Amino acid sequence: MKNDAWEVVPRPKDKSVIGSKSVYKVKHAVDASIEKFKARFVAKGFSQVEGVDYEEAFSPVERYSYIRTILALAA
């Protein structure tokens, strides 16, 4: 809230609350020293019910060979 990253809104009466958690990871350099700390804030999507909490999911995933083919055709 301090960084104005999200907005707090009231929950709709007919919707359930989806849980969330923070995931922390330490990235190490080649010499085993700590390079950086990474953090993610993720939703627990396994508690959602299709048709109730969401209508559809779309996650585009492209293979590297497909991208190379498109770039070769464009050139």
Side-chain angles (χ1 to χ4, degrees), residues 4-5 7 17 20 34-35 38 40-41 49-50 53-54 58 61 63-65 71 73 75:
D4 199 28
E7 181 180 333
V17 176
S20 59
I34 295 175
E35 184 176 351
K38 296 186 84 173
R40 292 184 295 151
F41 187 71
V49 178
E50 185 176 3
D53 296 318
Y54 67 95
F58 178 71
V61 177
R63 293 177 50 183
Y64 184 69
S65 60
L71 290 176
L73 291 173

Side-chain angles (χ1 to χ4, degrees), residues 20-40:
S20 59
K21 67 178 182 175
S22 295
V23 179
Y24 302 101
K25 189 171 188 175
V26 178
K27 299 295 262 185
H28 295 280
V30 178
D31 62 351
S33 64
I34 295 175
E35 184 176 351
K36 60 181 163 181
F37 296 96
K38 296 186 84 173
R40 292 184 295 151

